[in-house]
Amino acid sequence: MDDNVWLDRREVPVIVVHGGAWVKPGIVTEPVLEGLQRAAEAGFAVLDRGGMALDAVEAAVVVLEEDPHFNAGRGSTLTSDGTVEMDASMMDGRTLDAGAVASVAGVRNPIRLARRVLHDSDHLLLAGEGAQRFARGHGVEMAPVDWHVTPEQRARFEELKQEAGARPDRRKLGTVGAVAADVHGHVAAATSTGGTAFKRPGRVGDSPLIGAGTYADDTSGAASATGHGESIIKVVLTKTACDLMGSGKSPLEASKEAVSLLGSRARGEGGIILVSPDGRAGWAMNTPRMSRALFRRGMPGPIARV
Ligand code: ASP
């Protein structure tokens, strides 16, 4: 069946996940597709038993953070100093409550920390050492700093270091994200990343920024973005896409329009996944590929694409 038939259905619950734009042609994609399917299943299991969209997107993103094939959590890219600095955020469409962390290291699952920031802090976004201290103080699971570093990412770092004047590598990313609409009509979104490879230490992209990398509002829909963060921030991509849904566009139309704006106004490359509170979903990218999966009631299992 054509993917759009599954995407455009008004039926809840539904979850959509992505594993980043930029999956290069020629790379082995089976583990990526399997990882996305497992993530969609984990999120859908929460929704299927009547759980909340916010719990579902967290569960899905945790699966992808644990999977070394994605640039989030374990498998994160390295900065030009050879260190890991992760960003993550999540948003609850019921209340517009959001939690985010930027430039964190040694936190096993940054999305779980974002969740604690959402519930247990008076703030929305915590960064660096302060965020890590908050994590330790709130019983968030930590990991040795190099637990997140995989041999593949270390090798890539060494390669980039050899290139004279190496700049952040925008072409090999695998940021992860999830959006869901639950049976109660609520939506939520979550995004997690190691950021661009060989980024300058201290660089923060779109993923922890509400409105740029992540947005959710029960009056319009939920969105998670991937791609060139500096461009995504300029067009406030996820809020723009949600506003388009709020003005009556379907998630499929809104995703295409938002990504086209990213290209035309910011000359940026990337992609986006969307759901509306009535359960319709959409995805679009202006990169050659974006890995993604969809699982909704009525499907025998998730469909995953790259
Ligand atoms: N948007 C992320 C960033 O710029 C990277 C990505 O989506 O792959 O940090």
Side-chain angles (χ1 to χ4, degrees):
M1 199 182 326
D2 181 353
D3 285 354
N4 287 358
V5 176
W6 283 119
L7 285 163
D8 214 24
R9 242 180 224 198
R10 283 177 208 264
E11 191 174 9
V12 286
V14 59
I15 184 160
V16 184
V17 298
H18 71 75
W22 318 104
V23 185
K24 288 190 17 170
I27 74 157
V28 181
T29 53
E30 279 73 31
V32 170
L33 293 173
E34 275 163 28
L36 289 167
Q37 277 166 345
R38 280 190 296 110
E41 280 161 3
F44 188 77
V46 173
L47 297 168
D48 202 34
R49 55 175 183 261
M52 288 191 331
L54 193 66
D55 291 325
V57 293
E58 181 181 355
V61 167
V62 165
V63 169
L64 297 169
E65 287 180 338
E66 292 283 317
D67 187 328
H69 295 100
F70 298 92
N71 170 21
R74 187 142 178 275
S76 283
T77 54
L78 305 187
T79 69
S80 57
D81 279 357
T83 53
V84 165
E85 293 185 1
M86 298 171 289
D87 300 334
S89 65
M90 66 191 331
M91 187 164 188
D92 188 346
R94 288 178 303 181
T95 53
L96 303 189
D97 284 341
V101 294
S103 287
V104 295
V107 177
R108 181 164 174 143
N109 296 109
I111 200 67
R112 288 211 197 283
L113 178 55
R115 180 76 187 254
R116 295 311 291 255
V117 172
L118 187 159
H119 285 299
D120 300 335
S121 79
D122 296 326
H123 307 296
L124 189 149
L125 169 59
L126 292 179
E129 176 48 36
Q132 288 151 210
R133 214 183 316 152
F134 175 85
R136 288 189 291 268
H138 285 79
V140 174
E141 188 175 354
M142 305 299 283
V145 170
D146 55 5
W147 181 82
H148 292 96
V149 181
T150 57
E152 290 74 21
Q153 294 296 351
R154 174 63 66 193
R156 216 167 117 203
F157 165 75
E158 296 300 341
E159 243 171 63
L160 284 166
K161 212 168 71 171
Q162 296 314 316
E163 286 173 24
R167 303 186 46 213
D169 183 356
R170 296 160 47 160
R171 300 239 145 229
K172 294 184 194 158
L173 310 172
T175 290
V176 308
V179 293
D182 64 28
V183 293
H184 315 287
H186 302 304
V187 294
T191 311
S192 181
T193 188
T196 42
F198 220 71
K199 66 186 179 183
R200 185 183 285 275
R203 179 264 187 187
V204 175
D206 59 300
S207 306
L209 303 183
I210 294 305
T214 304
Y215 202 75
D217 182 344
D218 278 2
T219 67
S220 53
S224 170
T226 170
H228 183 231
E230 283 74 2
S231 308
I232 291 170
I233 294 167
K234 290 179 194 167
V235 296
V236 215
L237 189 66
T238 53
K239 172 72 161 91
T240 298
C242 286
D243 285 349
L244 288 166
M245 288 190 284
S247 70
K249 306 258 180 195
S250 74
L252 268 169
E253 291 165 338
S255 59
K256 287 198 179 73
E257 213 169 294
V259 166
S260 141
L261 182 76
L262 174 70
S264 63
R265 285 301 290 136
R267 294 176 308 282
E269 291 176 292
I272 195 165
I273 54 172
L274 301 180
V275 292
S276 55
D278 63 10
R280 285 171 299 160
W283 53 39
M285 74 234 69
N286 63 5
T287 50
R289 304 168 104 184
M290 173 175 78
S291 63
R292 59 212 192 268
L294 163 85
F295 198 6
R296 64 160 71 252
R297 185 159 285 163
M299 295 174 84
I303 52 170
R305 303 283 181 249
V306 70

